[in-house]
Amino acid sequence: EASCSRIAPGEAVAVAVGSRGIDRIAVVVSTLVRRLIQHGAKPFLVPAMGSHGGATAEGQKKILESLGMDEDSVGCPIKSSMQTKPLGQSGNGIPLFFDQAAADADHVIVINRVKPHTRLLGSIQSGLCKMLMIGLGKHDGALSFHPAFRSFDYQLDQIVHDIIPRILSQTRVRFGIALIEDANESIGHLEVLPRERILDREPQLLTHAIEWMPRLPFDDAELLIVDEI
């Protein structure tokens, strides 16, 4: 409520949503949109999913629809485009990009699940920071970062403290909504993070996400692999 109150009536708010099948993501998004409209703001959804959906505007909009989010269900327009705004380069030369519609908005709100990534390592993996760097960078951002992963050993920790401040200083990101799922893949925690807390708080949320992941109820096991029977 306090975060939304800083948004003035009539101001445009880009709500960035990714392509992952997050528990009740459509409910979270539509609730936020409804609250923004109650404050008199003009929200719209932006697909923040890098090159997913075939790296096309229509493909990314269809992904949102497959997750239960279309213009009727969420109650606001969806502005899906692959056009980006260049934000210069990181300290180690990675080109940075940001969705043009989000860059033109008065405010940006980022929604994502914080969880371990299948390839990335370290204290920053899948979450708000990755969405700011790659998801909102659209296809241009994916082309910049994916080939560079090996150069920083697949650890975003090595670059986020340089890149995230660069992105935040050039965009109107207001806050992020971090979601953590429990062992049953249900939302177990939701936290609103002001822009200045995203970078410091996300590693702590990742620790919680890892602790809540399902695990086998024993420390050691013997494994039998049968190639042919």
Side-chain angles (χ1 to χ4, degrees):
E1 183 68 32
S3 298
C4 288
S5 65
R6 301 176 186 176
I7 299 173
E11 290 185 328
V13 183
V15 179
V17 185
S19 56
R20 306 303 183 187
I22 303 170
D23 176 49
R24 289 172 285 180
I25 183 63
V27 176
V28 173
V29 172
S30 60
T31 301
L32 172 62
V33 167
R34 186 164 58 250
R35 182 59 57 87
L36 290 169
I37 292 175
Q38 289 173 351
H39 278 280
K42 297 180 178 179
F44 62 91
L45 262 56
V46 168
M49 53 187 74
S51 58
H52 291 185
T56 67
E58 187 59 31
Q60 296 199 346
K61 187 175 182 179
K62 287 183 178 179
I63 288 180
L64 291 183
E65 292 173 352
S66 72
L67 298 174
M69 291 172 283
D70 57 29
E71 296 187 350
D72 290 334
S73 64
V74 297
C76 71
I78 297 176
K79 295 186 179 181
S80 182
S81 170
M82 303 310 293
Q83 184 177 358
T84 59
K85 176 182 178 180
L87 300 180
Q89 294 185 346
S90 69
N92 58 352
I94 299 176
L96 306 177
F97 300 92
F98 203 79
D99 180 274
Q100 185 66 61
D104 292 338
D106 297 302
H107 305 276
V108 181
I109 299 172
V110 184
I111 303 176
N112 202 14
R113 174 179 55 196
V114 176
K115 66 171 293 186
H117 192 271
T118 55
R119 191 69 183 274
L120 297 176
L121 305 170
S123 65
I124 299 286
Q125 296 185 30
S126 183
L128 300 177
C129 290
K130 183 172 178 285
M131 178 175 279
L132 287 169
M133 293 188 295
I134 305 175
L136 278 165
K138 312 297 286 195
H139 186 47
D140 293 330
L143 290 177
S144 292
F145 279 94
H146 288 161
F149 279 163
R150 184 176 296 178
S151 66
F152 48 84
D153 299 324
Y154 297 92
Q155 297 188 52
L156 295 183
D157 305 63
Q158 297 187 19
I159 60 173
V160 291
H161 293 282
D162 167 53
I163 293 177
I164 294 300
R166 290 176 188 267
I167 293 175
L168 294 179
S169 68
Q170 299 180 71
T171 61
R172 301 184 183 94
V173 175
R174 170 61 64 187
F175 59 88
I177 297 178
L179 308 171
I180 300 178
E181 293 181 342
D182 61 22
N184 296 313
E185 297 185 341
S186 298
I187 294 178
H189 181 73
L190 182 153
E191 189 166 329
V192 177
L193 300 178
R195 54 182 284 149
E196 62 272 11
R197 292 202 61 211
I198 291 175
L199 191 53
D200 293 332
R201 179 61 175 152
E202 186 166 320
Q204 299 169 352
L205 294 176
L206 178 61
T207 298
H208 291 315
I210 293 173
E211 292 172 349
W212 287 355
M213 289 183 68
R215 62 191 69 236
L216 296 174
F218 40 79
D219 296 326
D220 300 300
E222 295 180 355
L223 178 65
L224 171 66
I225 299 177
V226 179
D227 290 327
E228 185 175 342
I229 191 169

